[in-house]
């Protein structure tokens, strides 16, 4: 509906190599806020520590018990929040750019739900998997997905959902953002139904663990679960950085991108694969966490005032959002899963945005 | 085929479908009851006799009859409210669920039952209705007060407002439940969106509201025809657009809120049915509203029957089945039509 905004402000993304001051300053500020919040998060809990104590404990090998608390108990969760938030934010930026639609985020178009379905399938259907599930997830309180089979299941589920949504939204060789969102909402509904079916059919223990996990929680992320996810993210995020130029070009439209030598279809496919993989890894580890992928790119765009959706900025804002949400979940919400907090916070954010600005400004209309 | 013929054909098909759906709903389940026995049971119940517990007749009259009537009432309410929402927002993809109605109902019911200790079939129903009303009004206000919409609210803003409020309320509901699982166990059944085991209680509380909503909807249909032409033209034709819109939103809250209160959140019926009906009978709101009132119960009852069959000996909630059945229709719609970006 609205004109392409790529040219707004007279800056072509093509010459975006010039470093603009505002994005850099905002990016550094957000990163600093992440670091500060991380120190605070490492210091809070049943055994409170001051920021100074946290830093000593982290840096001094002789710090003893406090070092165990900080590095073994709390660091995995904080790292998970930072890394998963970045992954969600970056993935959201990729899909919102590709669909040119502020609602085109992976959680709205069904990829998170699909990844959850894949993980549930691998838990409940594959033989022996349920046993390893209860083993990796530990005892009653809740669970992280963990486990290789769950991760593979989530990846496959996310990918298949993406392929199906993309294929169904494709009419006469073109995918319109609006159609993609509607197909995605439909896919989410079907997958949600499938998830309910799987949970009702499963054995009680598996179903309960799966249901808690379904709310999206960081509560039991330990080093064992995290190592896998971090290894994948360490590969994926730089890969995305390599693809970012192509993404900027695609924002100008397929024709323009093609004219600048971007292999349009291949670039888009690569971006979709990386974007889905990012979301799937997070979902496999924590369960679906909503709204971070939706909100982070828009917040980053708002703060940085750039033309497109900034990838690095979205990742940083995603980290900050998820870490803050997890702190809220732990401190003020009596330990509810972080996914609940992000849903509430994201919804309020959307409402405020609607009241203040009419609708989230994005590339093109809904 | 002329439009008039098409409409008559559609009515015939709907009537036949309704009979079949009602019969299936009464006969199919873990105990299969033959047609003759169903008729006998209903007849004897009408004469005032109550069948001994555990017999075919008792299953039909005490369990499946309330379930079927609930399906009829809730289905009709959801279908009609969907038609109204789509007419008012001029958005072919609008659905009462998307506009926050069901989320408001769920949240209010959770507060009433879980926190205040109301019973899920008594006070909870009223709370759900109130929640639906409040959420509907709130979504309308947020959607309409957005700057740049001239105080009316575009379909996009309404949808986004509904999505946002729905997320907030759903999140708060699950936070409440997780903080005190035992207090909220009463809600699990209600929240699954099904017709089973609800008896007559929920329906007794909401049927006057559903009836009022249906009457308002039918009365509004001619005015909605005018509104569909656009606000300016509607005004020129003498319709008081603002009033029509307020009345329609009120009817949606009564219908969708009442249905949700009685049967739990059931997705996609309000979205899909008006589309299929519009394809059959055309855009005239009078026919649309009337036919939706018959078509939606068919869908809901069939979904309920499918839910009884696929997970034997357990049951899949009807709301889950309607989502699985409705979503492909949505996909087909968006592929077939060139839905304009609103």
């Amino acid at each position: 509906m609205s004109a392409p905004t790529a040219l707004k402000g007279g800056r072509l993304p093509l010459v975006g190599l010039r470093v603009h001051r505002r994005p850099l300053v905002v990016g550094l500020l957000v990163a600093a806020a992440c670091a500060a919040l991380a120190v605070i998060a490492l210091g809070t809990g049943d055994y409170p520590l001051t920021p100074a104590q946290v830093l000593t404990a982290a840096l001094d090998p002789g710090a003893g018990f406090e070092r165990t608390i900080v590095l073994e108990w709390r660091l995995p969760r904080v790292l998970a929040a930072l890394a998963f938030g970045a992954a969600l934010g970056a993935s959201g930026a990729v899909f919102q750019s590709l669909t040119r639609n502020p609602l085109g985020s992976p959680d709205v178009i069904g990829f998170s739900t699909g990844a959850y379905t894949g993980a549930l399938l691998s838990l409940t259907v594959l033989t022996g998997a349920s046993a390893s599930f209860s083993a990796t997830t530990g005892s009653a309180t809740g669970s992280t997905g963990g486990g290789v089979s769950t991760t593979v299941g989530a990846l496959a589920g996310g990918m298949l959902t993406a392929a199906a949504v993309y294929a169904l939204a494709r009419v006469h060789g073109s995918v319109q953002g609006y159609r993609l969102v509607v197909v995605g909402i439909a896919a989410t509904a079907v997958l949600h139904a499938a998830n309910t079916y799987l949970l009702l059919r499963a054995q009680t223990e598996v179903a309960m663990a799966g249901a808690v996990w379904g709310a999206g929680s960081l509560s039991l992320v330990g080093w064992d679960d995290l190592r896998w996810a971090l290894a994948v993210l360490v590969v994926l995020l730089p890969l995305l950085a390599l693809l970012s130029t192509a993404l900027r070009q695609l924002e100008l439209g397929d024709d323009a991108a093609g004219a600048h030598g971007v292999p349009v279809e291949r670039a888009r496919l690569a971006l979709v694969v990386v974007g889905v993989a990012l979301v799937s890894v997070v979902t496999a580890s924590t369960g679906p966490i909503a709204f971070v992928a939706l909100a982070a790119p828009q917040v980053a765009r708002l703060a940085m005032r750039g033309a497109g959706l900034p990838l690095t900025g979205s990742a940083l804002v995603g980290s900050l959002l998820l870490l803050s949400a997890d702190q809220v979940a732990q401190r003020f919400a009596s330990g509810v899963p972080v996914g609940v907090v992000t849903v509430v916070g994201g919804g309020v954010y959307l409402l405020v945005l609607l009241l203040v600005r009419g609708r989230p400004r994005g590339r093109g209309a809904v | 085929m002329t439009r008039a013929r098409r409409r008559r054909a559609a009515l015939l098909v709907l009537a036949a479908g309704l009979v079949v759906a009602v019969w299936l709903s009464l006969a199919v389940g873990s105990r299969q009851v033959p047609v003759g026995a169903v008729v006998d049971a209903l007849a004897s119940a009408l004469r005032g006799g109550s069948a001994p517990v555990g017999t075919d007749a008792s299953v039909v009259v005490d369990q499946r009859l309330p379930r079927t009537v609930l399906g009829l009432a809730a289905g009709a309410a959801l279908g009609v409210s969907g038609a109204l929402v789509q007419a008012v927002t001029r958005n072919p993809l609008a659905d009462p669920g998307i506009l926050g109605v069901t989320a408001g109902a769920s949240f209010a019911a959770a507060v009433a039952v879980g926190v205040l200790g109301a019973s899920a079939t008594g006070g909870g129903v009223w709370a759900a209705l109130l929640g639906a009303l409040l959420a509907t009004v709130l979504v309308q206000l947020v959607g309409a007060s957005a700057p740049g919409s001239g105080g009316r609210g575009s379909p996009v803003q309404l949808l986004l407002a509904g999505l946002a409020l729905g997320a907030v309320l759903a999140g708060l509901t699950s936070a409440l439940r997780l903080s005190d699982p035992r207090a909220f166990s009463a809600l699990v059944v209600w929240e699954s969106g099904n017709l089973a085991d609800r008896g007559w209680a929920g329906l007794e509380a909401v049927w006057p509201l559903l009836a009022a909503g249906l009457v308002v909807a039918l009365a509004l249909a001619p005015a909605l025809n005018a509104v569909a032409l656009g606000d300016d033209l509607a005004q020129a034709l003498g319709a008081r657009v603002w009033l029509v819109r307020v009345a329609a939103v009120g009817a949606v809250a009564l219908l969708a809120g009442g249905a949700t209160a009685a049967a739990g959140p059931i997705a996609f019926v309000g979205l899909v049915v008006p589309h299929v009906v519009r394809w059959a009978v055309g855009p005239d709101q009078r026919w649309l509203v009337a036919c939706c009132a018959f078509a939606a119960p068919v869908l809901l009852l069939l979904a309920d029957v499918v839910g009884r069959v696929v997970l034997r000996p357990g049951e899949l909630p009807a709301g889950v089945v309607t989502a699985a059945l409705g979503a492909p229709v949505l996909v087909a719609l968006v592929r077939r039509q060139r839905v304009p970006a609103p």
Side-chain angles (χ1 to χ4, degrees):
Chain A
M1 185 165 74
S2 74
T5 49
L7 297 172
K8 208 180 259 176
R11 288 200 296 256
L12 275 168
L14 291 186
V15 291
L17 291 176
R18 202 175 89 215
V19 177
H20 299 295
R21 252 214 349 246
R22 190 177 170 100
L24 190 67
V25 172
V26 171
L28 286 175
L29 280 177
V30 175
C34 282
L37 191 60
V39 171
I40 293 174
L42 288 173
T44 49
D46 289 339
Y47 190 96
L49 300 169
T50 63
Q53 282 173 306
V54 168
L55 290 178
T56 352
L59 300 175
D60 175 12
F65 183 50
E66 286 171 2
R67 190 171 165 85
T68 313
I69 293 177
V70 170
L71 293 189
E72 291 298 318
W73 295 4
R74 292 179 188 162
L75 188 60
R77 183 167 187 166
V78 170
L79 263 187
L82 290 171
F84 294 164
L88 289 173
S91 176
V94 167
F95 285 109
Q96 290 178 31
S97 280
L98 285 180
T99 61
R100 298 177 198 197
N101 190 318
L103 282 184
S105 91
D107 41 355
V108 176
I109 45 187
F111 303 164
S112 322
T113 321
Y116 184 42
T117 309
L120 277 181
L121 266 179
S122 81
L123 289 178
T124 55
V125 176
L126 298 184
T127 11
S130 56
S132 81
F133 180 60
S134 2
T136 50
T137 53
S139 47
T141 31
S143 63
T144 60
V148 180
S149 74
T150 333
T151 310
V152 173
L155 272 171
M159 293 285 177
L160 283 177
T161 309
V165 168
Y166 192 80
L168 286 172
R170 196 178 162 101
V171 177
H172 302 309
S174 82
V175 173
Q176 286 172 3
Y178 181 61
R179 204 178 278 135
L180 193 70
V181 171
V182 176
V183 171
I185 290 176
T188 309
V190 171
L191 291 166
H192 190 72
N195 293 347
T196 311
Y197 174 78
L198 285 173
L199 286 176
L200 282 176
R201 232 195 50 146
Q203 289 160 340
T204 316
E205 321 87 84
V206 178
M208 277 178 65
V212 173
W213 179 40
S217 172
L218 290 171
S219 62
L220 272 192
V221 176
W223 280 116
D224 291 339
D225 305 312
L226 193 56
R227 228 166 259 144
W228 270 104
L230 286 184
V232 181
L233 292 180
V234 162
V235 177
L236 287 176
L237 286 173
L239 210 59
L240 186 57
L242 285 180
L243 288 167
S244 67
T245 327
L247 183 63
R248 290 285 92 86
Q249 307 256 19
L250 284 173
E251 282 174 351
L252 295 177
D254 289 0
D255 294 343
H260 284 104
V262 174
V264 173
E265 287 303 324
R266 249 188 303 153
R268 196 175 1 236
L269 183 65
L271 281 161
V272 168
V273 168
V274 173
V276 173
L278 284 170
V279 160
S280 304
V281 169
V282 175
T283 309
S285 309
T286 65
I289 294 180
F291 270 105
V292 174
L294 185 74
Q298 298 296 329
V299 172
R301 179 194 170 83
L302 216 64
M304 297 186 172
R305 300 225 184 109
L309 295 169
L311 278 178
T312 317
S314 305
L316 283 170
V317 172
S319 292
L320 187 60
L321 283 181
L322 192 53
L323 189 56
S324 325
D326 194 39
Q327 281 303 296
V328 171
Q330 284 186 61
R331 285 224 223 168
F332 306 111
S334 66
V336 303
V338 65
V340 170
V341 176
T342 60
V343 161
V344 174
V348 170
Y349 152 81
L350 250 184
L351 282 176
V352 170
L353 217 56
L354 281 167
L355 282 172
V356 176
R357 308 187 50 162
R359 66 155 187 257
R361 295 277 171 82
R363 312 185 52 76
V366 173
Chain B
M1 212 163 24
T2 64
R3 176 138 284 166
R5 267 195 175 176
R6 236 180 128 115
R7 284 173 177 163
R8 253 173 290 160
L11 264 189
L12 271 179
V13 170
L14 281 178
L18 203 58
V19 171
V20 172
V22 166
W23 168 62
L24 284 174
S25 175
L26 289 173
V28 175
S30 51
R31 181 196 290 256
Q32 303 286 355
V33 182
V35 187
V38 168
V39 175
D40 286 347
L42 290 182
S44 83
L46 268 184
R47 284 194 301 272
S50 68
V53 177
T55 59
D56 277 0
S58 144
V59 167
V60 168
V61 172
D62 297 335
Q63 288 173 24
R64 294 195 190 149
L65 188 60
R67 188 169 181 165
T68 305
V69 175
L70 177 60
L72 288 170
L78 288 172
V80 170
S81 71
L84 288 183
V85 166
Q86 287 174 15
V88 171
T89 62
R90 274 189 233 119
N91 188 326
L93 300 173
D95 173 89
I98 296 176
L99 291 185
V101 179
T102 39
S106 302
F107 177 66
V111 171
V113 175
V115 181
L116 306 175
S119 77
T121 45
V125 172
W126 291 102
L129 191 73
L130 190 68
L133 274 168
L134 286 178
T136 313
V137 171
L138 201 60
V139 166
Q140 295 291 323
L141 284 179
V142 172
S145 67
S149 67
R152 278 196 243 118
S154 75
V156 184
Q157 282 156 352
L158 279 178
L159 279 186
L160 284 178
L163 186 80
L165 189 72
V168 173
L169 294 177
L172 288 177
T173 307
S174 63
L176 279 176
R177 186 175 45 238
L178 288 166
S179 64
D180 188 359
R182 234 169 304 163
F184 288 87
S185 60
L187 277 173
V188 170
V189 175
W190 182 80
E191 277 183 335
S192 63
N194 64 34
L195 307 174
D197 302 328
R198 295 184 190 266
W200 294 104
L203 209 55
E204 267 164 16
V206 300
W207 78 262
L209 309 165
L210 297 185
L214 279 176
V215 170
V216 174
L218 284 170
L220 278 178
L224 285 174
N225 273 338
V227 169
L229 299 171
D231 288 359
D232 295 339
L233 206 50
Q235 229 138 25
L237 287 171
R240 273 173 292 179
V241 176
W242 175 241
L243 192 67
V244 171
R245 200 161 272 168
V246 169
V249 168
V252 167
L254 283 177
L255 290 168
T260 308
I266 290 174
F268 275 97
V269 174
L271 175 73
V272 166
V273 169
H275 277 287
V276 177
V277 170
R278 197 178 292 121
W279 167 77
V281 305
D284 187 332
Q285 291 294 331
R286 292 167 298 180
W287 279 86
L288 201 58
V289 167
C291 288
C292 281
F294 289 99
V298 176
L299 176 64
L300 188 53
L301 286 177
L302 290 182
D304 187 39
V305 172
V306 170
R308 289 179 219 172
V309 177
V310 292
L311 206 69
R312 275 185 181 168
E315 290 196 5
L316 200 58
V320 171
V321 181
T322 58
L325 291 177
V329 179
L330 179 61
V331 170
L333 275 170
V334 75
R335 280 178 64 83
R336 219 167 64 98
Q337 299 176 332
R338 189 152 303 169
V339 181

